[in-house]
Structures are given as C-alpha cells and as structure tokens.
Amino acid sequence: MTLAPPDTAVPATLARTFAGVDRLGVAFSGGVDSAVVLAAAVRTLGAARVVAVLGVSPSLPATERAAAHRVAAVVGAALVEVETHEGDNAAYRANGPDRCFHCKDELFTRIGEDVVTAHGLDAVAYGENADDARRPDRPGSRAATEHRVLRPLADAGLDKAAVRALARAWDLPCADKPAAPCLASRIPHHEEVTPEKLAQVEAAEAALRDLGLADLRVRHHGDIARLEVPAADLVRVVSAPLRAQVDAAVRRAGFRWAALDLAGMQSGAFTLEVLNRA
C-alpha cells in the first residue's frame, strides 16, 4: 500500500525547504512530524530520492519500531535502520537536561557515518516543528544545528496543528497518533538511564495499552511507576475493573507500586522542572 495521489499539495513554504537537495535522508521515528517531513519529501523530490532512517536502540519500543516501518511503507519511502549506541555515552546515561542532545548527536553521527555515503545523500532532515523550535527543553535541536541537519517544518513555519492537518489530508496512518517520546524521557533527570529501567517502562506501557489506554506515560521512580494519562481517563483508571488490571500490569513489569498522577499528561515535565529551577 502506498500513498494515494495528494488531495492537498505540499505547501510552497515547505517545498522550498527541499530546494537544491538531490537525495535526502529523513531521521524518522514514525511519529506525525517526521512522517510529514518524509511524505512532503517524497511528494517533492520523488520516492527514489528519499530514504527514511530509523535509529534503533533500547530506548525505542518494539511497537514504535514496527509502526515506523508501516508508516514508511504507506508513504512509499525506503527505510533503513541504524543501530545507535547512546547508552555507551556516560553523559547520556547520567541523564542531565541535555540527555536529548547526546541522543540526537549519536543518531546524526551514525547517519553521517553509516547512511549518507552508502545511499548517496547530500542532506539529512528531521521533524522539528515551529512549536518545538520555540521550546526551551529541546536540546536535540543543538545537535541538529551542529550536524547541519535540515528542519523543514520549523523553517516553513508549520506548528503542531498545521502538521497534523497535513497528515490527515494525506491520509497518513499516524495522523492522530499521540506523541511518543523515547523511553529515556520517563526517567527523572540525574537518575541513570539503564537498559533495565527502559525495559521496565516499555513492558508497563505496552501492557497498559493492551488494556485500552492509548495515550499514557509510565514515569520511573525506582519501585514506583507514576502513571500519567489524559484527564478524561483518570476516573476510569481508578475504577473497577481497570484499577486492579493496571496495578497488576505495572507489578508484572517489575515495579512494586503504581501511582496515578492527578495532573494528567505532562509533556517535557522533567526537563522543564529542572530548567525552571536554574
């Protein structure tokens, strides 16, 4: 299955960001932002001149890896995987507010070393949008700048709402997919990122999604799993029969206790907390 002919053309401001590019690599996660960059590139340059690049490491859930392959297939772009080894970097494991810089630096380095020459790429892009570009808690943006990675959505002035609208117009399967930050984002800053913690979070979140909780985060606080869900799901989670099922799922993942955060979903909460104290 490939993407149908466009009902909505690529906006001129977005198409212009690909000017002068012969072969483009897109750092691809399968999320809505990188999928729109990939689809826009395919529609502008042609599928033969675009490659989706998926970084694979313990911080990427298996479900997200499989979903990324499905989205790339719908878009009609070739997808290659690169293994990233951010966990070998002590600065990444230390999990300071700049953790995302070290992760993105590793990804863009691997793309440059393993993919650019092999696929004859002359540019690499990623999915930062205009809203992300204005946020203070996106250190990965610095890595993109240092590696000269293109940010077509941000440069075209497309915010989250505009990106979602394009994804829906192009019938991308991830158009309404909730944001899915990497698993390391569930661990409080200055607490070490380890494969064991990442595996715990992945197991708990997968089990909770199987219970029908589509949008959630499991924050790792040692023996405690702090569950964030949208406000509309709070009552359902603490009501029978789901309450007992949630508790059992979290314990099976290796936690001793499950706690429900009454504040609901909180994007970038760990990083923003640290930055606000600085």
Side-chain angles (χ1 to χ4, degrees):
M1 177 179 169
T2 56
L3 206 60
D7 296 319
T8 301
V10 177
T13 54
L14 182 54
R16 282 198 293 270
T17 66
F18 303 117
V21 175
D22 182 45
R23 290 184 55 79
L24 179 71
V26 176
F28 184 66
S29 68
V32 64
D33 293 325
S34 63
V36 166
V37 173
L38 186 68
V42 166
R43 291 164 183 266
T44 303
L45 302 174
R49 296 166 58 192
V50 180
V51 177
V53 187
L54 177 65
V56 177
S57 77
S59 69
L60 177 70
T63 54
E64 294 296 319
R65 183 179 183 178
H69 278 267
R70 289 193 295 269
V71 174
V74 169
V75 172
L79 184 147
V80 298
E81 293 186 345
V82 293
E83 287 190 9
T84 61
H85 302 280
E86 59 270 18
D88 294 345
N89 184 342
Y92 170 86
R93 294 195 306 273
N95 197 21
D98 63 346
R99 182 198 65 244
C100 286
F101 166 80
H102 299 292
C103 183
K104 284 290 192 295
D105 182 59
E106 168 70 4
L107 173 63
F108 296 142
T109 298
R110 293 289 173 182
I111 291 174
E113 292 177 351
D114 300 343
V115 182
V116 168
T117 300
H119 292 269
L121 307 180
D122 59 327
V124 175
Y126 85 128
E128 180 183 87
N129 62 54
D131 287 331
D132 291 337
R134 289 189 285 268
R135 290 183 58 157
D137 60 327
R138 290 292 186 270
S141 179
R142 177 162 61 93
T145 298
E146 292 185 4
H147 288 268
R148 299 183 180 180
V149 174
L150 305 179
R151 25 171 82 80
L153 303 178
D155 288 347
L158 299 177
D159 60 15
K160 291 181 184 296
V163 172
R164 291 272 183 194
L166 277 174
R168 292 183 185 114
W170 293 341
D171 291 326
L172 298 183
C174 57
D176 296 307
K177 181 179 183 290
C182 80
L183 294 172
S185 67
R186 317 298 200 268
I187 302 171
H189 286 306
H190 305 301
E191 294 185 13
E192 186 180 9
V193 175
T194 67
E196 293 77 18
K197 291 178 183 178
L198 297 175
Q200 272 187 286
V201 171
E202 180 176 6
E205 292 191 352
L208 294 177
R209 289 194 178 92
D210 286 343
L211 294 175
L213 296 170
D215 196 7
L216 76 149
R217 303 281 187 276
V218 172
R219 306 293 186 183
H220 194 295
H221 296 275
D223 287 337
I224 301 170
R226 176 168 58 87
L227 174 61
E228 296 178 5
V229 298
D233 284 335
L234 289 172
V235 172
R236 186 162 69 96
V237 170
V238 298
S239 301
L242 191 57
R243 181 179 65 183
Q245 295 169 338
V246 166
D247 183 64
V250 167
R251 289 175 184 271
R252 284 196 302 272
F255 295 97
R256 292 183 64 189
W257 296 288
L260 180 64
D261 194 322
L262 299 183
M265 295 287 290
Q266 301 157 62
S267 175
F270 285 145
T271 303
L272 288 171
E273 180 184 5
V274 172
L275 293 176
N276 289 337
R277 289 202 306 261

